[in-house]
Amino acid sequence: MNRRLMQTLILAAAFAHGSASGQMQAEVRGGLTIGSHSASAAALDIKPSISFDAVVRRQIHPRFAVFGGYFRTAFGCTEGFCKDQDPSITIVGNHGVLGVEWGSGGPWLRTGLMLGTTGAGSRGDSPTIGIGFHAAGGLTVGSGGFRFLPGLSWRRMQAKSASDNDHATAISLDFGFAYQLGGGS
């Protein structure tokens, strides 16, 4: 995954390069995530785990930005086929992401395309690369170089392996911080 992460960050830096008038920021977000995995036959499972994101965002227009980075999504599974398993199953996704954001300096909405793997603990085959989709909404609090970014995110990820073509869905309550990287305030 380190190679894919590096490729995603290089791609993010490539589309972020441009005029000095554009604003760039680095973000780190984390939060509690719940979800479901189709192979488990469980509905939305309420066994939260911690997920985190690291992205670079570039303002292209006063109300429009692009972003790229890395998402690690994790949630527990205790229902369906996961019930009474010891230890309990954890679903983990590792993805590079590229996307767009609408809004600036207040409410924002994001959507993006993810590429990576999603696996269910020690169950089954090793996961293979699949695509996913990300959507999020939140609020930018503060101004200047350091900002607080509470939000809510939704992700749908392929959870492919050699023998299965499953999917996982995750919902996160996120809290994050952004640091302005120059090019404006």
Side-chain angles (χ1 to χ4, degrees):
M1 188 62 204
N2 289 336
R3 190 171 123 200
R4 282 193 299 261
L5 173 60
M6 184 57 76
Q7 290 170 341
T8 301
L9 293 176
I10 289 169
L11 184 58
F15 74 67
H17 183 69
S19 76
S21 63
Q23 297 177 8
M24 285 185 58
Q25 70 182 26
E27 296 180 15
V28 176
R29 303 175 56 79
L32 292 177
T33 303
I34 59 174
S36 66
H37 186 263
S38 61
S40 71
L44 189 64
D45 205 348
I46 310 297
K47 183 171 190 279
S49 291
I50 295 181
S51 296
F52 67 87
D53 310 343
V55 301
V56 175
R57 178 185 165 279
R58 176 154 174 98
Q59 198 74 33
I60 301 299
H61 180 272
R63 302 290 294 163
F64 177 74
V66 293
F67 67 92
Y70 170 76
F71 289 172
R72 182 184 188 278
T73 308
F75 59 89
C77 178
T78 59
E79 299 298 322
F81 300 133
C82 300
K83 191 171 188 165
D84 299 325
Q85 299 245 356
D86 190 31
S88 64
I89 303 296
T90 300
I91 313 317
V92 178
N94 291 293
H95 292 84
V97 63
L98 292 174
V100 294
E101 176 183 314
W102 296 271
S104 177
W108 50 264
L109 295 172
R110 286 184 179 170
T111 187
L113 184 62
M114 304 183 328
L115 181 64
T117 61
T118 304
S122 60
R123 293 177 62 115
D125 305 326
S126 296
T128 59
I129 292 177
I131 61 170
F133 302 98
H134 167 75
L139 184 64
T140 300
V141 179
S143 61
F146 191 74
R147 298 174 184 169
F148 180 60
L149 304 168
L152 184 66
S153 70
W154 171 87
R155 295 177 186 157
R156 181 171 171 100
M157 306 160 279
Q158 285 184 339
K160 297 176 11 173
S161 67
S163 61
D164 291 315
N165 190 14
D166 300 319
H167 67 274
T169 304
I171 298 172
S172 297
L173 178 60
D174 302 319
F175 299 96
F177 296 96
Y179 179 74
Q180 203 72 25
L181 297 173
S185 59

